[in-house]
Amino acid sequence: MSTTPFPWQDRPQGNTDVMWRYDANPIIDRYAIPSSNSIFNSAVVPFEDGYAGVFRCDNKAVQMNIFAGFSKDGINWEINHEPIVFGAGNTEMIESDYKYDPRVCFIEDRYWITWCNGYHGPTIGIGYTFDFKEFFQCENAFLPFNRNGVLLPQKIDGKFAMLSRPSDNGHTPFGDIYISYSPDMKYWGEHRCVMKVAPFTESAWQCTKIGAGPVPILTDEGWLLFYHGVINTCNGFRYSVGAAILDKDRPDKVLYRSQPYLLAPAESYEMAGDVPNVVFPCATLHSVEEDKVTLYYGAADTVTAIAFGKLSEIIDFVKTNSL
């Protein structure tokens, strides 16, 4: 059994929410490294005797890039002061106007990183590392425009699988979740629609656009997918967190999907910042044996926070309150 401490805080007394926030949020301040304007929408994974992560750090010119970081406990982080530099992976073409909103997924023998990559507009960048010191960049997965590329942590019928959200070149006023497959992490196809936005009258918090969040978690019920949903209000977009359960063997098939949200902007650090009213999930740590999940999310596009829940309770909530 691992001796690495699992980042966790028990549900506060009297709290009946399915997920609850860490009482010392945010865990990463916007100025955690000297150059940063904001640190948010970032990904973490278990690594060696602690945790490693890839963090979105926008600098004071608001240039968007990704940085490696490390932690012993998953809460207190040391983030490198310089962005990740990529060598050539399966391509000699390494071009990027920006990098943001990374996810990290361990598959077979390495840690794969996906992010929104600026190549004539937003698309899905792919890279990998074995040690979080040396990084390699691969071909972009798709043509522009696309965001929220999230890999499944194991192959489906011998092929890599990635969720994504085709979009446009602006701050997209639409978006559904699709899945695509690849034999080699270079060529992607077999695109299938997974989930569309919900009708306004049925679940308004997710009626404008949706996007995959952290790497899905394989459970006895299927793939547990946390995702963000957006409503366009008179005060702008409002981002919340829901969850769905996808079929284990056919992840394009949604078995259950939460009608109510699990987490929505409510605390001051979620409602006030560079982009108000945003909770944006990008990573989880989980223990099936201990029935625990810790969710990392960006708050107001400014800081990084965490929330907690019991896997069994989240699954039951989604099944009981499904669209």
Side-chain angles (χ1 to χ4, degrees):
M1 180 177 289
S2 172
T3 58
T4 301
F6 188 88
W8 180 258
Q9 187 173 67
D10 288 334
R11 179 187 276 112
Q13 188 172 2
N15 186 305
T16 59
D17 294 332
V18 180
M19 300 194 74
W20 58 95
R21 295 165 174 82
Y22 183 45
D23 65 10
N25 273 342
I27 62 166
I28 301 174
D29 182 69
R30 66 185 305 167
Y31 302 127
I33 62 175
S35 64
S36 63
N37 165 79
S38 48
I39 303 177
F40 61 106
N41 297 4
S42 304
V44 305
V45 289
F47 179 69
E48 295 182 344
D49 60 348
Y51 303 93
V54 177
F55 296 84
R56 172 177 177 173
C57 303
D58 295 3
N59 68 18
K60 292 180 174 66
V62 194
Q63 294 171 298
M64 305 165 190
N65 215 327
I66 54 177
F67 293 63
F70 303 89
S71 174
K72 292 294 185 183
D73 60 7
I75 295 174
N76 298 283
W77 288 87
E78 295 290 332
I79 299 172
N80 292 350
H81 290 187
E82 298 297 327
I84 292 169
V85 175
F86 287 91
N90 64 18
T91 180
E92 294 296 324
M93 191 284 290
I94 300 177
E95 185 175 333
S96 182
D97 295 325
Y98 48 76
K99 298 181 180 74
Y100 64 78
D101 296 357
R103 276 75 161 184
V104 179
C105 181
F106 185 80
I107 307 175
E108 295 180 340
D109 66 344
R110 69 194 69 185
Y111 299 88
W112 291 94
I113 307 157
T114 54
W115 65 89
C116 184
N117 194 43
Y119 180 73
H120 302 277
T123 184
I124 305 303
I126 304 177
Y128 63 86
T129 183
F130 297 96
D131 56 9
F132 289 92
K133 296 177 182 176
E134 192 173 17
F135 296 83
F136 303 90
Q137 188 166 338
C138 299
E139 285 284 337
N140 293 325
F142 310 116
L143 292 167
F145 308 111
N146 206 316
R147 293 176 172 86
N148 299 301
V150 180
L151 290 163
L152 270 66
Q154 66 183 48
K155 292 179 177 178
I156 304 295
D157 292 332
K159 290 171 282 193
F160 297 100
M162 186 193 302
L163 300 165
S164 70
R165 188 189 73 201
S167 60
D168 65 13
N169 199 31
H171 195 37
T172 316
F174 64 88
D176 302 319
I177 297 174
Y178 284 73
I179 194 166
S180 305
Y181 297 92
S182 171
D184 57 5
M185 280 289 194
K186 187 170 186 177
Y187 300 102
W188 293 85
E190 297 179 85
H191 314 293
R192 302 289 185 270
C193 184
V194 178
M195 281 181 8
K196 288 183 171 292
V197 296
F200 175 85
T201 54
E202 294 183 24
S203 187
W205 69 269
Q206 53 181 325
C207 70
T208 299
K209 53 184 173 178
I210 55 175
V215 171
I217 299 169
L218 186 58
T219 73
D220 291 339
E221 298 286 346
W223 293 103
L224 176 63
L225 171 69
F226 292 97
Y227 66 95
H228 67 262
V230 183
I231 179 174
N232 192 9
T233 75
C234 59
N235 196 38
F237 290 138
R238 178 177 186 258
Y239 283 71
S240 304
V241 179
I245 299 172
L246 312 180
D247 186 86
K248 177 183 176 182
D249 301 313
R250 285 280 311 278
D252 60 318
K253 181 180 179 182
V254 179
L255 303 178
Y256 306 96
R257 173 183 176 181
S258 61
Q259 182 183 33
Y261 58 71
L262 285 164
L263 204 67
E267 298 294 330
S268 59
Y269 54 86
E270 299 163 349
M271 296 189 295
D274 284 0
V275 182
N277 299 319
V278 175
V279 292
F280 192 93
C282 274
T284 59
L285 298 172
H286 68 279
S287 170
V288 173
E289 296 80 10
E290 297 181 76
D291 194 28
K292 293 177 178 179
V293 61
T294 297
L295 176 74
Y296 291 76
Y297 65 95
D301 279 16
T302 304
V303 295
T304 301
I306 53 177
F308 310 99
K310 294 284 190 177
L311 275 170
S312 60
E313 293 180 1
I314 293 168
I315 290 169
D316 183 65
F317 177 84
V318 174
K319 294 175 66 176
T320 305
N321 298 278
S322 182
L323 275 173

